[in-house]
């Protein structure tokens, strides 16, 4: 026993349903409230505490000093970790103690203690004989118990009575009071004799059980066993209110259906199935199928509860508390709820939340359910390729089940839940049918009041359900399905928004998941900003949460090993040690790019990205080579760009012979397919830079499509592309003139750090990029001049 802990005031861990003995290791599970108090105290006491068994384990009884035994054990806390609903402690029992001066403080008992040493009133030889006898009795018990061989091997190696008691006592089928009485015996001899009595009782009990089992296995007892089992089955059925009498069962079904709120059409179908069940009898193989069908109809909610008034202020508060930013998205949802409140029913449109991963689409559906005080149901449609997953299987098939929609309604238990259809863009068409087409009836406000599941074969009204679908992109969603939903676009978060999301939402959530709190770890603001800027590059915050989780794991190990002073401050200079090297390159906006390198902006389903275009001339015959897995649209843009260069800039480059040079255009990350209508401006600028031998400002990015006439056309995804430029440190962005109206969607902090330039033609583009304004007569296109109805090809 540790001398430093003698007579020291320690926390008392109340033990329910167990008594711990010295020279053993054990596992203790505590609820979170008690565990948090113990964890704070044991750190101050070098991980020591007192274990004491509760006299009467009453769950609702308040813990007081009178409810625990004054004889307990000194515990050394070896480790602890969070589990569902609390914590698990691994402890080593150091010795017996007597507890005094017990007080209750902050829902935790404390007390002084003094060690209780064993009275060694038996010599070594007799102690060995007593131990050998204990082992002999234990081996007799083990012979009759299958699977006891590993325990027998351990017992053979035990060398003392104390160790023997500590190892076997948890397996003894005796009361807690008896175990406590053994712990309180000071004499080693008396304690050994008491334990031998317990072992002998256990041996006799095992023998008796084996004899009884043998008798029941004999032929003469078969009738008795059958009678006994029938009585047991009858008692269980009565307890569950499932009387085996078919007539009683049918009567219960008939009463339940009659008193249910099913529509008359559904009741008629239910009674028809019930008539079949009564006619066939319980022995028919179709009886379980019919019973499952009737159970489903009875369990489904058929009437709406419109007593819950929609509270717009509460809804706004819930959405603002749980989601930072997304102001336009939340406004649109509140407008939807306001219409529902005025109409006193579900408003017609179905919401489709579209945006990059990690932007809060699914969690927003859960927040809507909380704001409306409704049940929340979610199904994932990613990879679903069978139409029956939506509409269900016909009952003629073996193992038929209702579709996910009806199963979700049964799970909700109410007619108007918030139903989230996750990853609706990842449905797959296969030979099993098209699940996207099956969703048309579910999500059409004009049809879903009579949705028919193949398993049910009767209409079910889904018009009161608040459907919220989520997707990363609308490209793969069939047009008829997309037409039935109202699209709400989610954009990526700015660094400033990520900072507040991380500080107010992610950090508290991650600390709770890892059993930490602010008294153990504190993440500095500058460290959080560095994690956002240098360890993540994404539109959402999923990657940010992963990095915070990694940080929490590292700090958890330091806290458990007591190797640092608490609270542990995660500062910017410690991130290399905790998270390793940075994974985000920010040199894209500071590199000294050679001529021919342009920075473009691209839109992807996971947000905006930086796109580099590299061009190079080489001796040849005027051939064009394109690499980087470019799609047809980008290939056409590259050919148009080359034609524009030759028609608009050839006069300024009299010594440059395009016919004797091959052009190679490459877009890095060749393993990634690339296509889209917004790379024309970057392709043109890259070729122009190479032809004129002029560098492009690396802090300048651009996006837009071009035509053969030299016009710059508008494109989409402006907000996502602007956020990507902001993450990469871009200072100027060139956009088509018609996209100037889209600046209102860009956050103010981004607009303050980036200058947006607008162009209508490639002449404007050349002026903004190279500060060159070509005279109009030098950029006239070489087009035939018509005189007297004939073409004249002179200049």
């Amino acid at each position: 026993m540790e001398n430093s802990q003698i007579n020291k005031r320690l926390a008392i861990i109340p033990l329910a349903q167990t008594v711990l003995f010295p020279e053993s290791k054990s596992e203790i599970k505590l609820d979170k409230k008690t565990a948090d108090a113990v964890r704070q105290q044991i750190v101050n006491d070098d991980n020591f505490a007192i274990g004491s068994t509760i006299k009467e384990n009453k769950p609702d009884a308040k813990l007081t000093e009178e409810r625990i035994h004054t004889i307990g054990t000194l515990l050394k806390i070896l480790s602890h970790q969070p589990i569902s609903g609390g914590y698990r402690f691994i402890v080593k029992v150091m010795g017996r103690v007597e507890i005094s001066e017990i007080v209750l403080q902050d829902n935790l008992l404390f007390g002084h203690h003094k060690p209780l040493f064993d009275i060694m009133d038996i010599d070594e030889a007799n102690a060995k004989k007593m131990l050998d006898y204990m082992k002999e009795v234990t081996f007799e018990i083990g012979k009759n118990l299958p699977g006891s061989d590993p325990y027998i091997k351990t017992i053979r190696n035990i060398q003392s009575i104390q160790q023997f008691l500590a190892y076997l006592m948890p397996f003894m089928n005796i009361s807690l009071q008896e175990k406590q009485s053994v712990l309180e015996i000071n004499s080693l001899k008396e304690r050994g004799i008491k334990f031998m009595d317990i072992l002998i009782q256990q041996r006799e009990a095992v023998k008796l059980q084996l004899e009884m089992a043998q008798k029941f296995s004999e032929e003469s007892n078969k009738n008795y066993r059958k009678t006994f089992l029938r009585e047991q089955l009858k008692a269980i059925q009565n307890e569950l209110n499932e009387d085996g009498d078919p007539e009683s069962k049918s009567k219960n079904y008939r009463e339940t259906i009659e008193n249910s709120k099913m529509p008359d059409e559904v009741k008629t179908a239910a009674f028809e199935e019930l008539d079949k069940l009564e006619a066939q009898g319980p022995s028919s193989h179709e009886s379980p199928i019919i019973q499952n069908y009737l159970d489903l109809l009875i369990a489904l909610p058929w009437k709406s509860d419109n007593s819950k008034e929609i509270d717009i202020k509460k809804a706004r508060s819930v959405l603002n508390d749980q989601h930072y930013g997304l102001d336009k998205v939340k406004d649109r949802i509140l407008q939807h709820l306001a219409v529902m409140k005025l109409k006193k029913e579900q408003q017609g449109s179905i919401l489709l939340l579209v945006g990059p991963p990690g932007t809060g689409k699914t969690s927003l559906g859960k927040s809507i359910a909380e704001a409306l005080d409704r049940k929340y149901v979610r199904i994932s449609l990613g990879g679903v390729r069978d139409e029956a997953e939506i509409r269900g299987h016909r009952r003629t098939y073996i193992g038929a089940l209702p579709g996910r929609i009806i199963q979700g309604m049964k799970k909700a238990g109410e007619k108007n839940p918030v139903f989230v259809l996750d990853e609706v863009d990842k449905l797959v068409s296969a030979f099993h049918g098209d699940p996207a087409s099956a969703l048309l009836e579910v999500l059409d406000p004009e049809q879903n009041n009579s949705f028919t599941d193949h398993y049910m074969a009767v209409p079910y009204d889904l018009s009161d359900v608040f459907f919220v679908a989520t997707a990363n992109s609308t490209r793969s969603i069939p047009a008829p399905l997309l037409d039935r939903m109202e699209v709400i676009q989610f954009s990526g978060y700015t660094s400033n928004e990520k900072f507040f999301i991380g500080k107010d939402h992610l950090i508290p959530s991650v600390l709770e998941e890892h059993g930490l709190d602010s008294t153990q770890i504190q993440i500095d603001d500058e460290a959080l900003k560095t994690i956002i800027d240098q360890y993540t590059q994404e539109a959402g915050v999923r990657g940010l949460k992963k990095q915070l989780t990694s940080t929490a794991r590292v700090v958890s190990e330091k806290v458990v090993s007591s190797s640092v002073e608490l609270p542990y401050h995660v500062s910017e200079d410690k991130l290399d040690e905790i998270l390793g090297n940075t994974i985000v390159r920010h040199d894209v906006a500071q590199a000294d790019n050679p001529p021919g390198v342009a920075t473009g902006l691209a839109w992807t389903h996971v947000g905006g990205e930086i796109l580099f275009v590299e061009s190079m001339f080489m001796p040849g015959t005027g051939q064009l080579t394109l690499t980087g897995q470019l799609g047809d649209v980008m290939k056409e843009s590259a050919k148009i760009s080359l034609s524009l260069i030759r028609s608009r800039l050839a006069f300024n480059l009299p010594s440059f012979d395009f016919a004797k040079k091959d052009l190679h255009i490459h877009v890095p990350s060749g393993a990634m397919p690339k296509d889209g209508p917004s790379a024309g401006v970057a392709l043109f600028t890259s070729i122009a830079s190479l032809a004129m031998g002029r560098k492009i400002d690396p802090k300048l990015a651009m996006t837009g499509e071009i035509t053969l006439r030299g016009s710059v056309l508008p494109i989409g995804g402006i907000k996502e592309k602007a956020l990507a430029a902001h993450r990469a440190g871009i200072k100027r962005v060139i956009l088509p003139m018609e996209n100037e109206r889209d600046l209102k969607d860009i956050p103010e902090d981004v607009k303050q750090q980036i200058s947006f330039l607008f162009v209508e033609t490639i002449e404007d583009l050349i002026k903004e990029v190279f500060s060159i304004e070509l005279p109009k007569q030098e950029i006239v296109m070489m087009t035939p001049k018509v005189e007297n109805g004939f073409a004249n090809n002179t200049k």
Side-chain angles (χ1 to χ4, degrees):
M1 188 176 298
E2 299 282 342
N3 293 330
S4 61
Q5 299 301 322
I6 295 177
N7 293 326
K8 190 173 182 181
R9 183 176 181 268
L10 296 177
I12 300 175
I13 299 178
L15 304 175
Q17 305 296 330
T18 185
V19 177
L20 300 181
F21 284 80
E23 299 192 31
S24 66
K25 289 184 180 180
S26 184
E27 177 183 294
I28 301 174
K29 296 180 181 179
L30 298 176
D31 60 82
K32 188 176 186 304
K33 186 176 181 181
T34 304
D36 287 342
V38 172
R39 288 169 55 227
Q40 292 180 4
Q41 185 62 32
I42 63 175
V43 172
N44 300 327
D45 294 319
D46 298 325
N47 291 336
F48 278 90
I50 299 173
S52 178
T53 304
I54 300 175
K55 293 180 180 178
E56 295 181 1
N57 188 21
K58 298 179 180 179
D60 298 330
K62 185 177 179 182
L63 184 63
T64 60
E65 54 269 28
E66 292 83 9
R67 292 191 60 219
I68 66 169
H69 291 281
T70 56
I71 303 299
T73 50
L74 181 65
L75 307 180
K76 172 74 172 179
I77 311 297
L78 301 180
S79 65
H80 59 278
Q81 60 184 23
I83 58 174
S84 177
Y87 273 81
R88 177 173 57 200
F89 288 77
I90 304 300
V91 302
K92 180 179 181 182
V93 184
M94 307 301 295
R96 299 184 306 126
V97 295
E98 182 177 357
I99 312 170
S100 60
E101 300 178 27
I102 302 173
V103 295
L104 181 65
Q105 179 180 331
D106 297 331
N107 296 318
L108 186 64
L109 292 174
F110 293 86
H112 289 271
H113 68 282
K114 65 178 181 180
L116 292 177
F117 298 102
D118 293 341
I119 299 174
M120 308 302 291
D121 52 354
I122 182 172
D123 57 33
E124 186 176 347
N126 288 324
K128 186 177 184 305
K129 291 180 181 179
M130 180 180 289
L131 179 61
D132 291 339
Y133 182 78
M134 291 179 182
K135 289 182 179 181
E136 182 182 341
V137 176
T138 305
F139 295 157
E140 289 184 30
I141 298 174
K143 289 179 183 178
N144 299 315
L145 298 177
S148 61
D149 290 342
Y151 303 98
I152 296 298
K153 291 181 181 179
T154 303
I155 291 172
R156 291 185 188 277
N157 297 325
I158 294 177
Q159 300 299 323
S160 70
I161 296 175
Q162 294 93 325
Q163 291 180 356
F164 195 88
L165 265 67
Y167 182 78
L168 276 189
M169 190 58 80
F171 301 104
M172 295 293 101
N173 186 21
I174 58 176
S175 66
L176 282 179
Q177 189 58 40
E178 286 186 84
K179 292 183 179 181
Q180 180 67 27
S181 65
V182 175
L183 179 69
E184 294 180 358
I185 298 175
N186 294 324
S187 167
L188 180 60
K189 179 180 179 181
E190 292 181 9
R191 194 184 310 150
I193 294 173
K194 175 71 174 178
F195 187 67
M196 283 194 298
D197 291 340
I198 295 174
L199 276 176
I200 293 172
Q201 293 174 11
Q202 295 289 305
R203 181 183 62 183
E204 298 305 318
V206 170
K207 286 183 178 179
L208 180 61
Q209 291 175 4
L210 290 173
E211 291 175 2
M212 293 178 63
Q214 186 176 1
K215 288 181 181 179
F216 271 101
S217 64
E218 294 176 357
E219 188 68 25
S220 60
N221 289 303
K222 283 185 178 180
N223 294 332
Y224 174 77
R225 290 178 64 193
K226 289 180 180 179
T227 304
F228 175 76
L229 291 174
R230 287 195 189 100
E231 291 297 326
Q232 291 278 6
L233 179 61
K234 187 175 181 180
I236 293 172
Q237 289 175 339
N238 291 335
E239 185 70 22
L240 296 175
N241 196 23
E242 294 181 358
D243 197 338
D245 184 3
E247 293 183 4
S248 175
K249 225 172 204 181
S250 298
K251 182 179 179 182
N252 291 339
Y253 272 129
R254 194 169 296 277
E255 290 178 357
T256 305
I257 294 171
E258 191 67 45
N259 297 330
S260 70
K261 298 179 181 179
M262 300 179 192
D264 293 339
E265 179 183 0
V266 180
K267 281 186 178 180
T268 300
F271 283 130
E272 290 177 356
E273 294 295 322
L274 183 57
D275 292 340
K276 294 179 184 178
L277 178 64
E278 293 173 346
Q280 292 176 354
S283 60
S284 172
H285 68 278
E286 291 189 12
S287 295
I289 299 175
I290 298 175
Q291 290 176 9
N292 291 338
Y293 177 73
L294 294 176
D295 290 340
L296 174 66
L297 294 184
I298 292 170
L300 282 173
W302 294 97
K303 288 293 183 181
S304 296
D305 181 11
N306 296 321
S307 60
K308 298 177 182 178
E309 187 72 17
I310 297 177
D311 189 341
I312 299 297
K313 290 184 178 179
K314 176 188 175 183
R316 186 185 301 274
S317 175
V318 170
L319 294 178
N320 288 335
D321 289 345
Q322 299 183 1
H323 295 271
Y324 185 87
L326 304 177
D327 293 334
K328 289 192 175 182
V329 176
K330 290 187 285 191
D331 287 343
R332 176 62 191 89
I333 292 172
L334 291 172
Q335 294 165 9
H336 192 94
L337 300 183
V339 174
M340 290 173 56
K341 182 179 178 68
L342 292 174
K343 291 182 64 178
K344 306 295 183 182
E345 61 184 12
Q346 166 69 17
Q347 200 253 345
S349 59
I350 310 297
L351 300 184
L352 172 61
L353 310 181
V354 180
T359 50
K361 302 183 296 297
T362 304
S363 59
L364 190 61
K366 195 169 187 178
S367 298
I368 293 174
E370 183 177 340
L372 293 175
D373 195 19
R374 294 188 182 184
K375 291 291 182 64
Y376 169 76
V377 181
R378 172 189 168 273
I379 62 173
S380 178
L381 300 178
V384 171
R385 60 180 69 246
D386 191 349
E387 178 188 350
E389 293 283 339
I390 307 298
R391 285 190 174 275
H393 305 80
R394 301 187 187 279
R395 280 182 287 137
T396 53
Y397 295 110
I398 296 176
L401 290 172
R404 293 193 181 188
I405 302 299
I406 295 299
Q407 291 182 38
M409 296 303 299
K410 178 183 176 182
K411 178 182 177 181
E414 64 179 34
K415 190 80 180 314
N416 55 351
V418 174
F419 206 125
V420 174
L421 304 173
D422 224 354
E423 310 293 355
V424 74
D425 58 328
K426 296 178 178 60
L427 291 168
V428 181
S429 296
F431 66 91
H432 296 291
D434 185 4
S437 299
L439 275 178
L440 293 177
E441 186 180 2
V442 177
L443 299 181
D444 191 336
E446 303 299 327
Q447 301 182 41
N448 64 6
N449 59 347
S450 57
F451 170 72
T452 303
D453 184 276
H454 289 157
Y455 182 87
M456 291 177 59
V458 291
Y460 188 81
D461 186 2
L462 296 173
S463 60
D464 290 328
V465 180
F466 193 138
F467 282 107
V468 179
T470 71
N472 295 133
S473 171
T474 59
R475 291 182 179 180
S476 60
I477 301 177
L481 180 60
L482 186 63
D483 183 58
R484 285 162 169 80
M485 298 182 285
E486 181 174 354
V487 178
I488 299 180
Q489 290 285 350
F490 277 58
S491 300
Y493 295 111
T494 66
S495 296
N496 186 53
E497 290 174 333
K498 289 181 182 179
F499 172 77
F500 286 104
I501 292 172
K503 187 173 183 179
D504 297 338
H505 299 279
L506 298 183
I507 291 179
S509 174
V510 168
L511 294 186
E512 183 178 357
E513 290 173 1
H514 290 75
L516 299 171
D517 53 43
S518 58
T519 63
Q520 297 168 309
I521 175 176
Q522 293 180 359
I523 301 178
D524 296 345
D525 290 351
E526 292 303 318
L528 178 59
K529 292 178 181 178
T530 302
I531 293 174
I532 293 170
D533 293 337
Q534 299 185 19
Y535 289 89
T536 64
Q537 190 172 24
E538 55 176 346
V541 292
R542 191 166 293 165
L544 174 59
K545 185 174 182 180
K546 290 180 181 178
Q547 296 295 347
L548 292 174
T549 299
S550 299
T551 304
R553 285 199 301 267
V554 173
V555 176
S556 296
E557 188 274 332
K558 295 180 181 295
V559 171
V560 171
S561 61
S562 302
S563 60
V564 294
E565 183 180 351
L566 299 181
Y568 183 82
H569 288 275
V570 178
S571 57
E572 186 177 3
D573 57 354
K574 295 179 181 178
L575 292 180
D576 283 342
E577 174 190 350
I578 296 174
L579 298 178
N581 297 330
T582 60
I583 60 176
V584 177
R585 290 179 53 201
H586 286 289
D587 58 344
V588 294
Q590 289 82 29
D592 184 16
N593 296 329
V597 179
T599 304
L601 297 173
W603 180 94
T604 70
H605 70 280
V606 295
E609 287 186 2
I610 293 293
L611 188 73
F612 292 102
V613 179
E614 301 174 349
S615 300
M616 179 176 291
F617 280 120
M618 61 196 77
T621 58
Q623 298 295 319
L624 174 63
T625 302
L626 300 172
T627 55
Q629 277 214 55
L630 306 185
D632 292 338
V633 176
M634 290 186 70
K635 290 178 181 178
E636 291 176 358
S637 297
K639 294 176 182 178
I640 292 172
S641 299
L642 181 58
S643 298
L644 283 172
I645 294 293
R646 299 182 67 174
S647 64
R648 300 297 178 93
L649 297 180
F651 302 109
N652 287 329
L653 304 168
S655 62
F656 194 93
D657 192 349
F658 285 91
K660 294 183 180 180
K661 292 184 181 293
D662 288 345
L663 174 62
H664 186 168
I665 300 176
H666 176 65
V667 182
S669 299
M672 301 294 293
K674 311 169 191 71
D675 200 9
S678 62
V681 167
L683 288 165
F684 174 84
T685 307
S686 173
I687 301 173
S689 166
L690 182 64
M692 293 189 296
R694 289 177 172 268
K695 297 181 179 180
I696 301 173
D697 182 3
K699 295 185 180 181
L700 172 68
M702 59 201 73
T703 183
E705 183 57 302
I706 58 174
T707 68
L708 197 57
R709 296 173 299 174
S711 300
V712 180
L713 302 181
I715 39 81
I718 297 298
K719 181 178 180 181
E720 289 79 4
K721 294 175 181 178
L723 293 177
H726 179 258
R727 288 196 298 269
I730 299 296
K731 297 302 179 185
R732 292 190 299 155
V733 173
I734 293 178
L735 299 175
M737 182 65 73
E738 293 186 39
N739 285 120
E740 185 175 5
R741 60 190 176 184
D742 295 317
L743 288 187
K744 64 179 182 295
D745 297 329
I746 299 175
E748 288 298 326
D749 58 329
V750 175
K751 289 192 285 188
Q752 291 175 2
Q753 299 180 42
I754 296 180
S755 298
F756 292 93
L757 311 173
F758 301 95
V759 296
E760 287 185 298
T761 64
I762 60 169
E763 288 80 16
D764 299 335
L765 178 63
I766 293 173
K767 179 180 178 181
E768 293 292 351
V769 176
F770 304 110
S771 300
I772 297 177
E773 187 167 358
L774 299 177
K776 285 188 179 295
Q777 63 270 21
E778 295 187 7
I779 61 172
V780 175
M781 295 180 61
M782 296 180 66
T783 54
K785 181 179 180 182
V786 178
E787 293 181 358
N788 299 324
F790 297 94
N792 184 353
N793 288 329
T794 59
K795 183 176 176 182

